[in-house]
Amino acid sequence: MDAESKTKHVHEVFESIAPKYDMMNNIISFRRHKAWRRFTMRKMNVQPGQTSLDLCCGTCDWTIALAKASGKGKTIGLDFSRNMLDIGQAKVDKMGLGEQITLIQGNAMELPFEDNSFDYVTIGFGLRNVPDYVKTLKEMKRVVKPGGKIVCLDTSKPTWQPFKSIYYFYFEKLLPLLGKWFVKRYEQYQWLPESLKTFPDLQELAELFRTVGMRNVKAYPFVGGVAALHIGTKGNEGT
């Protein structure tokens, strides 16, 4: 699938599943995605007043967590799906965070921000959906401040048996059926295991972080490697 086709397909998938996205995340991950994000937030240690950009922000759970952690720090969520952003905006408004959080429809590979703009740039369960991982990481590095961090939380690839075989059976065979049963979306949830096939594993993604120039790269696997957190720091000289 070429870049244009992937972009179009992924956009259609997320526009379609937006109304049930939060529910299905809980089902698919057995609610573990919330614990993974809490762990990530502890590792990030966001301070009052710090600014964040949350890419592929979806329905904005991580965007909201970043805003709360920063007190009054400006937080921006960016996603290419208007339906996902509409659901996220409703959450933001309900929590009274409309003045602190700004949501933008845009492309993670072409960020509409100046260099060195944010203390943190995050992407949660979204990097594997973009056509060009390296281009996205380069953009994340560009807009984060010197000394700031880029953070990726995403699915990954278990390496040890027999857990690896069990996981792939679940992810490739059962997950699309869960989509069919719960939200009448079989083909859309076939995309998730397909997107993982070409996605870098734990060490490969850490190496991509280093390739784009990030320093002190840390990688943390979850539950035998079904998901992983990667954090890299931008050099103080901005390179």
Side-chain angles (χ1 to χ4, degrees):
M1 186 182 296
D2 61 28
E4 184 177 349
S5 297
K6 181 175 181 179
T7 299
K8 184 174 184 295
H9 179 67
V10 174
H11 183 264
E12 290 173 351
V13 166
F14 283 95
E15 286 284 270
S16 173
I17 67 176
K20 300 292 184 179
Y21 179 78
D22 289 340
M23 181 189 77
M24 283 301 295
N25 272 357
N26 287 335
I27 293 170
I28 290 168
S29 72
F30 303 95
R31 297 183 67 87
R32 296 310 300 161
H33 70 102
K34 295 185 178 182
W36 299 337
R37 192 170 62 246
R38 287 195 297 270
F39 176 89
T40 299
M41 290 298 293
R42 288 196 297 272
K43 289 295 181 183
M44 291 172 65
N45 192 29
V46 178
Q47 297 299 302
Q50 288 188 314
T51 57
S52 300
L53 168 63
D54 185 25
L55 302 183
C56 303
C57 64
T59 57
C60 298
D61 284 350
W62 198 359
T63 319
I64 289 168
L66 290 164
K68 287 182 175 180
S70 71
K72 295 184 179 181
K74 186 67 175 176
T75 305
I76 295 177
L78 181 144
D79 200 284
F80 68 167
S81 169
R82 173 47 59 188
N83 288 349
M84 298 285 270
L85 288 172
D86 287 345
I87 293 169
Q89 188 67 60
K91 291 182 184 178
V92 169
D93 293 342
K94 184 177 181 180
M95 294 185 177
L97 296 172
E99 291 188 7
Q100 184 181 356
I101 295 175
T102 301
L103 301 184
I104 297 173
Q105 187 173 15
N107 183 350
M109 297 187 299
E110 297 178 5
L111 299 177
F113 307 107
E114 298 293 328
D115 297 358
N116 309 320
S117 295
F118 302 94
D119 294 297
Y120 293 94
V121 181
T122 63
I123 185 165
F125 301 99
L127 185 61
R128 62 190 153 77
N129 293 319
V130 302
D132 191 328
Y133 311 135
V134 171
K135 188 174 182 180
T136 302
L137 291 174
K138 285 181 176 178
E139 277 291 271
M140 293 173 74
K141 183 200 173 192
R142 180 182 66 79
V143 301
V144 79
K145 296 176 181 178
K149 292 179 171 60
I150 67 173
V151 185
C152 175
L153 176 61
D154 215 316
T155 52
S156 192
K157 298 176 178 179
T159 56
W160 50 276
Q161 296 287 12
F163 182 71
K164 179 179 177 180
S165 296
I166 296 170
Y167 170 74
Y168 277 106
F169 175 77
Y170 167 73
F171 210 59
E172 294 177 0
K173 305 298 183 183
L174 296 185
L175 190 152
L177 289 176
L178 292 175
K180 180 180 180 180
W181 293 337
F182 286 99
V183 294
K184 306 297 187 289
R185 291 287 188 273
Y186 180 83
E187 291 183 2
Q188 287 85 345
Y189 279 91
Q190 277 187 307
W191 166 251
L192 295 178
E194 288 175 9
S195 68
L196 185 61
K197 289 178 181 178
T198 57
F199 194 59
D201 65 20
L202 182 82
Q203 298 303 329
E204 289 169 341
L205 185 53
E207 191 56 37
L208 286 185
F209 267 58
R210 297 183 187 101
T211 297
V212 302
M214 300 307 292
R215 300 183 176 184
N216 194 29
V217 177
K218 305 290 186 183
Y220 305 89
F222 298 114
V223 195
V226 303
L229 164 66
H230 289 75
I231 301 177
T233 304
K234 183 172 178 175
N236 285 324
E237 74 281 7
T239 60

